[in-house]
Structures are given as C-alpha cells and as structure tokens.
C-alpha cells in the first residue's frame, strides 16, 4: 500500500520557536500513522537539541538528520542578527540540501525515498525550488498566525494603497489600517508586523518577508498552527489564494489529546529546562504567580530589563522569570533592592518547561513577548496575558490578545515600570474576572478543535490522507 512507504522530510528554519512547533508536527504525524519521518535540522541546533531517546524509541520510523547553517558556533542567531542566519542558509545550506535529496542519503537502511517535504515557509523558500527540481511535492508550514500570514500576503496591497511606508509621528501609529481585508475594524499601524515599520518600501527585511510569503503560493499546500474558531476570517481570505490549507492547531493541545495522560512528552527544547521551578510553583497559592518569558530570540537592553524588573517587584506579585542565556545586552548589575525582592518572592531560571508551567494552578498571568507558540500555549492553558511584543509577528498577536480575543492586555511600544505594574495588576486584580472568563472560554474552544469532530482534527485527517496520496502518485511515476 502507498501509505506503508510514506516518508516525510520536515525542514524547519533553525531557531527554537520554529524547531519546537515543527517537532510537534512531526510527533503528531508519527502518531497519525506516517511510518517514516526525517527531521532535518542545522548542525548547530542538532548538537543543542535534547535528543529524547523516549521519542526515538516510540517511533522507530523517526530519525534526525542535519546540515550546516554556515555560521560559526558562537554566532548569537537572535535579535536583529537573525537575517544573517537567513543569508547563510541561502548560500550554504541550499546546495547541500539539494545534494542530500539527489544522492539518496535519506533513504538508507531500507527506508523508502522521501516523497513529501514539509518545509518552513519563512526564510526557506529555496526548498520549493529544490523540491520542484527533484520532483518531490512540498507542503509549506508557517509558524506564524494565520492573521500575520494574511497581512504579509497583503504587503503589496499596503504599499499600493500608500499605507507603507508608514509616515507621520507617534500619533500616526494609532491610525486604522484599511488595506488588510477582514481587519479594518481593529488593526492599527502600530499593530502591523515589525517589518512593516521600515522607512522605505524597498527595505530588505520587508521585501524578504513579502517575497517569501508570495512564494508560499507555489507550494502544494499550506499548514498553519491555528484553528478555524480562532482565526476564521484570516483563514477564509488565505484560502482564496491557497485553497489547499490545513489549520491543525494548537499542536500542543493536539498532542495532549492524542497521548495518554501517563505518557511522557518528548523534549523540543534547545536549552536545558530547569524543572526546579515546578516545586517552587507547588508552594504558591492558586492564580497568584506572574510567569515571565520573552522567548528564544528577544534581546533586552539593560534599561528594559530594569523597567520590567521594577514593575514586577512593585506589583507585589510572586513571579517566575525565564532569564535565557544572552537575553540581555551588556552588563547586568542588579540593584540591591531588586535582588532582595526576588529572593523573597521571585524565582529565576534559564529555561522552563513552558507548557507545564502555564498549566500549573499557581499561574495567574503571563508576561510575554507574544510569540505565536507562547500565545497559543497560553490560550490552551486559559492563562491571561500581559503582552510586550518585540519582533516580527508579535505586534499583531498582542493586538488580537487585547482587542479581538480579549484574553489579556497589550503593552505595545512601552517599557515603563509604572505601566508594567499597572498592567499586571489589571490582569491579576482589577480585570481578573473578565479576562479569566474569556481565557477559559478560549481554552475550551481550542480543546474542542482538536477533539474528535473538531475542525483541526478534520484538517489533520485530510493532511495525512493527502500525504499518502502524494506517496502513491510519486510511486506510480518512478
């Protein structure tokens, strides 16, 4: 049968957020009966990834492979230098990826040839060129929200309408944007993805994002980590350009639904998770703790660090803070009063098991950078958010959290200790009942989407069947 020889290659852009959700997709496909799956990572991340023997033992048809990304080991691969990773992958990884597929290196040990590629849709469009050359169907996976993808697809329309580049003073950033269909009632210029803040429409970052998004329309299909009930309007608009669309999120909730309660999840982290924070949370009262994490790419200035820290301490709330290695630029000299307050009611770790943390009953709010993974994980856990977007799609995500889904507050473009304290108190005290109710309703909607008969479950079933059909068609032509 065709499905017995299905061999899927998954190829993420090599940063934590992208690797995490594409590993979740890999696990979900394995659980759904895809017999062979290869996860292609960069050498750099492959060495850092906590390769879980439990994962490998559970799915004997799964394996890791890697290629160099062309950057030295000490390159930060974060902040504004992320575009250096894009350039290096295009120059170094692309030809090696092509050679890997042509030489048959991935179909050793009795494995069938790769007959479907699922590649990251941002910064990785070269995979479409290679897939077309070697005759393997490619499905694009976008790790952003559907709403952000739709906005990226509208960049030419925004430029043509004169909305980009953004002109004017700070007050101008609050004006409504009318060139993104479906979002006219709430989208402001300050809510557009950070790339859209370029002063020149020929800005390289803006053009890269626009071009990469347009090239996605050449893929066989598109996968998004979202669900119809969350982003139905954006998904409807995208389907007019890419009819073969699978909304299969939230992936984390899907895996929880698929796996028995006693089954241990595999690690998807590039950093060692400090699980001592779970015991610390066990000793805190319900809904009392603010969880703080700015993700895997955000780099704070020392001044920003201090504003957040003072705001947290002044709020009087216990807090669990993820202080990722190299997440703050420059020297970190901690004022004595902050150090003392943190010892009293704070806990700091280098990296945390985030989904478990958010599901813990002690968590009452999430101070977040509004990355899409973190946003979905907070929605699934029913935890209200205090949003401080940093980069990329995060500006849009925070607007949806505060204005559309009403599951938190948006602190966009502001880093002031007084505002930090106020917004924490708003979520944890003043508006607690309101935002908690919305958050719990959204969590229930997400669970229904991945359950039997749900919209995401139906999309996953279609995706698996489509992969099997690709296998049959490819076998018939060989």
């Amino acid at each position: 049968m065709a499905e017995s020889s299905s061999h899927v290659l998954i190829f993420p852009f090599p940063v934590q957020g992208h690797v995490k959700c594409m590993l979740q997709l890999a696990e979900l496909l394995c659980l759904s009966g895809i017999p062979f799956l290869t996860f292609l990572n960069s050498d750099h991340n492959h060495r850092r990834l906590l390769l879980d023997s439990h994962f490998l033992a559970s799915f004997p048809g799964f394996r890791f492979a890697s290629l160099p990304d062309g950057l030295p080991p000490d390159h930060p691969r974060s902040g504004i230098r992320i575009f250096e990773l894009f350039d290096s992958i295009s120059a170094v990884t692309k030809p090696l990826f092509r050679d890997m597929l042509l030489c048959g290196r991935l179909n050793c040990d009795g494995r069938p040839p790769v007959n479907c590629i699922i590649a990251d849709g941002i910064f990785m469009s070269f995979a479409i060129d290679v897939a077309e050359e070697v005759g393997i169907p490619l499905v694009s996976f976008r790790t952003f929200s559907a709403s952000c993808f739709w906005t990226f697809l509208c960049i030419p329309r925004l430029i043509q309408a004169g909305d980009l580049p953004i002109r004017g003073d700070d007050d101008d950033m609050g004006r409504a944007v009318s060139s993104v269909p479906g979002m006219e009632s709430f989208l402001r210029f300050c809510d557009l993805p950070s790339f859209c803040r370029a002063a020149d429409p020929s800005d390289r970052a803006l053009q890269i994002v626009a071009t990469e998004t347009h090239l996605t329309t050449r893929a066989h299909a598109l996968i998004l980590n979202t669900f119809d009930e969350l982003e139905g309007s954006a998904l409807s608009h995208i389907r007019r350009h890419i009819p073969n669309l699978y909304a299969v999120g939230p992936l984390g909730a899907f895996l929880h639904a698929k796996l028995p309660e006693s089954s241990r999840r595999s690690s998807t982290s590039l950093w060692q998770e400090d699980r001592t924070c779970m015991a610390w949370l066990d000793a805190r009262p319900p809904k009392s703790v603010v969880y703080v994490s700015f993700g895997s790419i955000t780099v704070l200035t020392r001044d920003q660090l201090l504003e957040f820290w003072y705001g947290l301490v002044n709020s009087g709330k216990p807090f669990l803070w993820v202080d990722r290695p190299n997440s703050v630029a420059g020297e970190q000299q901690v004022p004595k009063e902050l150090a003392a307050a943190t010892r009293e009611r704070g806990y700091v770790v280098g990296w945390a098991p985030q989904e478990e943390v958010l599901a813990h009953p002690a968590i009452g709010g999430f101070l977040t950078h509004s990355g899409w993974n973190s946003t979905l994980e907070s929605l699934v856990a029913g935890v209200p958010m205090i949003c401080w977007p940093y980069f990329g799609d995060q500006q849009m995500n925070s607007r949806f959290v505060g204005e559309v889904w009403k599951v938190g507050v948006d602190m966009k473009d502001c880093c002031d200790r007084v505002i930090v304290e106020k917004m924490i108190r708003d979520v944890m005290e003043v508006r607690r009942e309101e935002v908690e109710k919305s958050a719990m309703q959204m969590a229930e909607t997400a669970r229904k989407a991945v359950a039997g008969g749900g919209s995401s479950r139906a999309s996953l079933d279609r995706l698996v069947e489509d992969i099997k059909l690709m296998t049959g068609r490819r076998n018939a032509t060989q």
Side-chain angles (χ1 to χ4, degrees), residues 380-438:
V380 168
V383 174
M385 287 168 264
I386 304 109
C387 301
W388 184 74
Y390 171 74
F391 181 72
D393 62 320
Q394 297 159 16
Q395 279 74 17
M396 288 204 70
N397 299 340
S398 67
R399 182 60 169 172
F400 274 81
V401 166
E403 183 66 20
V404 181
W405 306 321
K406 300 188 184 302
V407 292
V409 293
D410 186 2
M411 196 166 56
K412 182 181 284 102
D413 297 331
C414 176
C415 187
D416 175 270
R417 65 190 68 184
V418 174
I419 302 300
V420 173
E421 177 187 353
K422 179 185 181 301
M423 290 204 163
I424 290 172
R425 289 186 182 276
D426 277 352
V427 165
M428 304 282 282
E429 296 174 5
V430 180
R431 297 176 54 202
R432 177 172 174 169
E433 186 175 338
E434 171 195 345
V435 292
E436 272 188 7
K437 181 180 179 181
S438 296

Side-chain angles (χ1 to χ4, degrees), residues 286-297:
K287 300 186 185 300
S288 66
V289 176
V290 182
Y291 172 55
V292 186
S293 176
F294 296 116
S296 60
I297 291 178

Side-chain angles (χ1 to χ4, degrees), residues 209-232:
V209 169
T211 300
E212 293 277 315
T213 303
H214 176 71
L215 288 173
T216 302
T217 60
R218 288 172 44 200
H220 172 82
L222 172 65
I223 299 171
L224 290 168
N225 183 16
T226 190
F227 52 107
D228 281 270
E229 295 80 1
L230 184 69
E231 297 191 277

Side-chain angles (χ1 to χ4, degrees), residues 62-116:
F62 176 91
R63 70 174 175 188
F64 291 100
S66 66
L67 290 171
D69 64 17
L71 293 175
D74 60 350
H75 191 282
R77 297 168 173 82
S78 62
I80 61 173
R81 297 188 67 184
I82 202 72
F83 283 97
E84 295 172 22
L85 179 58
F86 165 73
D87 291 335
S88 185
I89 287 175
S90 298
V92 175
T93 309
K94 178 179 178 178
L96 295 174
F97 175 60
R98 177 183 178 275
D99 291 345
M100 172 183 275
L101 291 173
L102 286 174
C103 75
R105 173 179 151 192
L106 297 176
N107 46 299
C108 57
D109 302 326
R111 286 171 169 264
V114 171
N115 36 53
C116 173

Side-chain angles (χ1 to χ4, degrees), residues 308-324:
F308 281 119
W309 209 334
Y310 274 110
L312 279 163
V313 166
N314 293 343
S315 76
K317 306 298 180 187
F319 58 91
L320 168 61
W321 192 332
V322 175
D323 182 17
R324 189 192 81 243

Side-chain angles (χ1 to χ4, degrees), residues 20 256 265 273-282 284-293 318-322 347-368 374 377-384:
K20 176 176 183 175
H256 283 296
R265 290 281 305 280
E273 295 172 344
D274 186 343
R275 299 189 59 81
T276 62
C277 63
M278 302 306 295
W280 183 84
L281 287 172
D282 289 341
R284 310 274 87 77
K287 300 186 185 300
S288 66
V289 176
V290 182
Y291 172 55
V292 186
S293 176
F319 58 91
L320 168 61
W321 192 332
V322 175
Y347 200 81
V348 181
V349 296
W351 200 248
Q354 181 161 289
E355 287 177 87
E356 289 183 60
V357 167
L358 289 169
H360 196 284
I363 298 297
F366 182 14
L367 176 51
T368 172
S374 292
E377 288 161 10
S378 201
L379 287 173
V380 168
V383 174

